[in-house]
Structures are given as structure tokens and as C-alpha cells.
Amino acid sequence: GLLSLSAQAQDKNYPTHPLTLVVPFAAGGPTDVVARSLGASMSKTLGQPIVVENRTGAGGTLGPSFVSRAHPDGYTLLIHHNGMATAPALYKKLPYDPLKDFEYIGQVADVPMTLMGRKSLPPNDMPAFIAYARANGNKINLANAGPGAVSQLCGTLLQDALGTQFTEIPYAGTAPAMSALLGGQVDVLCDQTTQTLPQIKGGSVKLYGVTTLERIKALPDAPTLQESGLKGFEVMVWHGIYAPKGTPKATIDRINEALRIALKDPAFATKMNELGAEIVPPAKQTPEGLHTWLQSETTKWGGMMKKAGIEPQ
Ligand code: ASP
């Protein structure tokens, strides 16, 4: 009737005012870096600014919670990483269902993680770090962005692999966690190259290894954690763009088009490659590509947490 006609008319003009892209972690961190450069590129296609809003807290679950309840008009979007897949296994009362309460727009880029120590931490390489970690256990402070964050996921896998327990210190994102590492208030941080490459290259932190199975182009001399004895250790961080459930299909199509154009935009792609990230192939840049991936990741990480004996809180 009239209502759907006016909704259609609105879609044709979409967007008529700025969009908000919610980042569930602190400004200046790795998710924020991807969001801001992606937003700048997508806004060229959409003809409206994309304003990044950092809605931090609860391991990155407050951002998706907010977006799941936002008006489904295409003006509030979410960017999130593996946390969409890990949260169901970590929280008993998650206020949203990652697999059902959103419209799925597409994936963006894959990013390796790096395990680092503060500059003054005694071990100089991964074998020395392993010995140091086993000897010092919970005297070691591990910074992360809370349960649901990839820094926490990486730390969980690490402690599980080493059979040791660190003291975990949660922050609103890994930007403040990195500040704490640089200031020597914490000892260890595992975080994406999208934030850590400049610090690693500048020598302001100690790098122990990368979390991919193969060495990465951005840090060819850095050993993988697997090479250093942690067999099968692998965390790759992926990113997806989401809209509230019920956002009109025509609007999703426009946003997806802007996303796919941005992923080919040299301004965005070059910046991502410089930060060690890799743009996902076209099949993943679609709503179906993101939803299918999210399903398989939810199964993968959920199973892994159960095996590691992690109880939802
Ligand atoms: N890298 C963070 C994480 O651990 C999130 C961030 O601050 O971007 O999930």
C-alpha cells in the first residue's frame, strides 16, 4: 500500500544524509583503522559522509547490540570481526543473535595478528618467551579488548597451547591496550597488524611471532607461532559489514555496491596492504558470502572454546 510505496521512494534517494558506521572498539585501534578508511572510500560512492562511532565495551558486544536495535533504514551500520562468531560461546545472555538479527552486507579484509611484548620484557624471541611464560605464569600481564575480542581469543589459544595462565587486563579496544604496552604497564599483547606494524617496525615493542600458518609479506623475517613450536596455532582476523534486520533489500544492495567499489579503490586497497591486510575475494564481498562464513566461524570457534573448557559468563 501507501507505506511500502513511500519506503520505495525513500530507497531511491538513499542516502540523503550522513551514515553512521559503528565500531565496537576504541578509536585508533585496528578495527577503527579499517572502518575509517573503508568509510572514506564508500562515502565517495554513496555521496554522503560515513561517520565512525566507537561504541565500546563488553568485549565488543555493545556495538552489535546497539546496531541490532537501530532503525533498519540503512543509516546505521556495523563493522565487526571474528567477535561476531565467538561471542555466542562466551556470553550466556547475548542480547542479539549474530546469525539472525542482522542483514549481511559483505566481508572486507583479512588481517594477521602479531604477538608482542613490551620493549623491556626479558625474552627476545619466541622460544625464550615460551620458557619465560611457563616460569612466570600469572605474574605476566596480558592486555586485551575483553571476552569476544580477537586479542582475547589469541591470548586464550596461547595460554591453552602453553599450559599456563596469565593475568588478563581488559581495555575498551587494543588502542588503549597498545598504549599500556608502550608505557610498560602491561607485558604482552596479541593484536592485528592494522595497528601493530608501525610499532613493530619502529622497534618500540618486541615481536615474538605472527598468528598465521605461513609467514606474512609485511613481516617476512617474523617467524610464525607454529614454526616456534605451537603446532597448528592460527588466528586470522576477518571483518564484516552488517545492517539491522529488516533494512530494505534495495538499500542493502546500494551499500554492498559501495563496499565492492571501495575494495577495488586503490586508496583503500593500498592502505590495507601496507598494514598487512588482504582484501577478500569477490565471493566473500556479498551478503551470502558473509553469512555463510559467519556460520562456519561460529561453529569453528564455538567448538574450540568448548574444547578449551571455556565457560560462557
Ligand atoms: N584488536 C581488538 C580486538 O582485540 C579490537 C580493536 O581495538 O580494534 O578485538
Side-chain angles (χ1 to χ4, degrees):
L2 268 180
L3 231 154
S4 66
L5 260 181
S6 77
Q8 268 173 20
Q10 211 183 16
D11 289 342
K12 247 208 248 149
N13 296 325
Y14 170 87
T16 58
H17 58 85
L19 286 73
T20 298
L21 179 58
V22 171
V23 170
F25 299 105
T31 313
D32 186 76
V33 164
V34 176
R36 281 174 205 268
S37 48
L38 180 68
S41 181
M42 284 175 70
S43 75
K44 289 192 264 181
T45 304
L46 292 170
Q48 288 290 341
I50 296 182
V51 181
V52 167
E53 199 172 293
N54 301 88
R55 289 197 168 256
T56 69
T61 60
L62 295 190
S65 177
F66 173 79
V67 173
S68 72
R69 287 178 280 111
H71 208 60
D73 55 7
Y75 290 96
T76 308
L77 305 176
L78 168 73
I79 183 166
H80 206 341
H81 58 31
N82 311 44
M84 285 295 265
T86 58
L90 295 168
Y91 292 89
K92 264 191 225 139
K93 285 197 187 122
L94 201 61
Y96 55 93
D97 182 339
L99 286 165
K100 290 199 185 117
D101 294 345
F102 297 89
E103 300 296 340
Y104 305 85
I105 294 167
Q107 286 186 63
V108 183
D110 293 337
V111 185
M113 300 189 87
T114 46
L115 178 67
M116 304 157 296
R118 66 175 150 82
K119 201 174 175 176
S120 51
L121 202 68
N124 287 324
D125 56 21
M126 191 58 189
F129 176 76
I130 293 175
Y132 182 84
R134 289 192 170 132
N136 290 282
N138 64 10
K139 282 194 227 116
I140 296 171
N141 289 328
L142 171 79
N144 63 36
V150 284
S151 47
Q152 204 252 357
L153 174 67
C154 177
T156 300
L157 298 177
L158 179 67
Q159 293 169 83
D160 195 47
L162 297 177
T164 181
Q165 204 79 49
F166 301 143
T167 300
E168 296 189 25
I169 315 223
Y171 291 86
T174 43
M178 176 59 94
S179 301
L181 189 73
L182 294 172
Q185 290 105 8
V186 295
D187 303 311
V188 181
L189 171 65
C190 182
D191 197 27
Q192 291 105 293
T193 56
T194 30
Q195 163 166 264
T196 65
L197 275 186
Q199 311 295 354
I200 291 168
K201 289 186 171 162
S204 46
V205 294
K206 277 188 184 171
L207 173 65
Y208 296 131
V210 295
T211 66
T212 42
L213 292 177
E214 305 286 332
R215 289 190 180 203
I216 61 171
K217 270 186 255 152
L219 293 167
D221 298 331
T224 65
L225 296 184
Q226 144 143 298
E227 255 175 78
S228 305
L230 304 187
K231 250 200 160 343
F233 195 104
E234 186 187 18
V235 187
M236 180 63 103
V237 182
W238 53 272
H239 300 80
I241 307 290
Y242 306 81
K245 183 98 198 162
T247 306
K249 166 92 172 48
T251 304
I252 297 296
D253 289 347
R254 288 279 334 259
I255 305 167
N256 178 259
E257 181 196 25
L259 169 67
R260 282 183 291 113
I261 292 172
L263 299 183
K264 284 202 203 89
D265 178 359
F268 177 71
T270 308
K271 169 134 204 231
M272 285 301 103
N273 291 338
E274 281 169 5
L275 291 174
E278 217 161 294
I279 305 292
V280 296
K284 286 187 170 185
Q285 298 171 10
T286 62
E288 307 73 44
L290 171 57
H291 194 254
T292 309
W293 182 253
L294 178 61
Q295 271 171 320
S296 72
E297 285 282 290
T298 304
T299 308
K300 171 182 168 178
W301 295 117
M304 216 171 257
M305 307 238 188
K306 236 187 219 149
K307 242 174 73 192
I310 310 243
E311 293 283 340
Q313 61 180 42

